[in-house]
Amino acid sequence: DAVIVTDENGIIEEFNNAAVEIFGYSHKDAIGRNVGDLIVPEQYAHSHDRAMERIRGGGPFHIVSKGRVRLDAKRANGEVFPIELALQKSDLHGRRFFIAFIRDISFRVRAEQDLIEARDQALAGEKAKARFLAVMSHEIRTPLNGLMGNLSLLQETPLTDNQTSYVDNMSTSGKLLMDHINDVLDIARYEAGKPILRNRPTNL
């Protein structure tokens, strides 16, 4: 962790090697500088200055001794990146100091974003698959209904014994196929969050 020690006015008195690596300032550049000018992004500079004025005036410490908080910081090259900050205060020889422990979490944040994107892509893929299954099942069932209807009509016409056997076999196969298609539709509805419940005898 970077460790930065400032006086009550925010002037840097200690700037460890990790701080040099994270922020890109040398010890010489950092010591004696105002911490707000050095590492606080421009959009948060006014809020930082107001907080320092409040503290100097005896106001409350909103983040001191509150554990790690997530904020944005600024490197020497102007890059704004996410950090975790833990802030402590210390009174020594009549002077007040603030000790900041800062951790660069940009890698972790990128990993979290990558996971979120991967999750969203997976969910989108599942939804696309469910839509495909539903459309495919409907498209197959429509001509199959026509086929089953014509087989039913054919069974009502005069047929030889062999023809009757063939038609019965086709009708049985068609009904089995229709059951399979309905099962696929049930899966598609279930994955889309619309389960279908049917009350029927079940062999436990």
Side-chain angles (χ1 to χ4, degrees):
D1 288 358
V3 179
I4 302 175
V5 180
T6 74
D7 64 12
E8 63 180 354
N9 294 311
I11 303 303
I12 298 173
E13 299 202 2
E14 295 290 342
F15 200 78
N16 75 342
N17 290 332
V20 171
E21 291 182 12
I22 291 174
F23 292 100
Y25 296 100
S26 67
H27 293 93
K28 182 179 178 181
D29 291 334
I31 301 300
R33 295 277 301 277
N34 187 290
V35 69
D37 297 337
L38 217 62
I39 71 169
V40 176
E42 292 181 5
Q43 62 266 37
Y44 305 124
H46 181 63
S47 297
H48 171 79
D49 292 341
R50 286 175 55 193
M52 293 299 293
E53 289 178 8
R54 183 186 69 246
I55 292 170
R56 285 194 294 270
F61 300 88
H62 289 329
I63 64 174
V64 172
S65 302
K66 300 296 183 183
R68 289 189 176 272
V69 295
R70 185 161 163 173
L71 299 169
D72 286 335
K74 178 183 68 175
R75 302 191 205 273
N77 62 7
E79 176 192 354
V80 176
F81 65 104
I83 63 168
E84 279 185 348
L85 167 70
L87 194 61
Q88 301 290 333
K89 67 182 177 70
S90 175
D91 295 307
L92 185 65
H93 304 307
R95 296 184 62 199
R96 172 166 290 169
F97 298 92
F98 295 101
I99 306 106
F101 302 92
I102 299 170
R103 180 172 296 170
D104 182 352
I105 59 170
S106 52
F107 177 80
R108 188 205 310 168
V109 170
R110 282 195 300 271
E112 290 173 355
Q113 291 171 344
D114 290 343
L115 283 173
I116 291 172
E117 289 176 5
R119 180 204 63 190
D120 291 344
Q121 289 175 1
L123 289 174
E126 288 297 317
K127 288 180 180 178
K129 183 184 74 173
R131 285 196 300 270
F132 171 76
L133 285 174
V135 171
M136 180 188 70
S137 300
H138 280 296
E139 292 299 325
I140 294 175
R141 190 166 62 171
T142 299
L144 184 57
N145 277 326
L147 180 63
M148 296 297 293
N150 279 279
L151 279 174
S152 178
L153 292 174
L154 185 59
Q155 286 174 321
E156 297 175 4
T157 63
L159 299 172
T160 66
D161 290 342
N162 282 341
Q163 288 174 330
T164 300
S165 177
Y166 296 153
V167 170
D168 288 343
N169 290 339
M170 292 170 64
S171 179
T172 300
S173 296
K175 289 175 182 177
L176 287 172
L177 182 57
M178 184 65 77
D179 286 341
H180 292 323
I181 292 171
N182 287 333
D183 287 342
V184 172
L185 277 174
D186 285 348
I187 293 172
R189 292 190 187 100
Y190 180 79
E191 291 189 346
K194 301 174 182 178
I196 304 299
L197 301 180
R198 292 192 181 95
N199 294 322
R200 60 188 181 190
T202 303
N203 185 341
L204 294 179

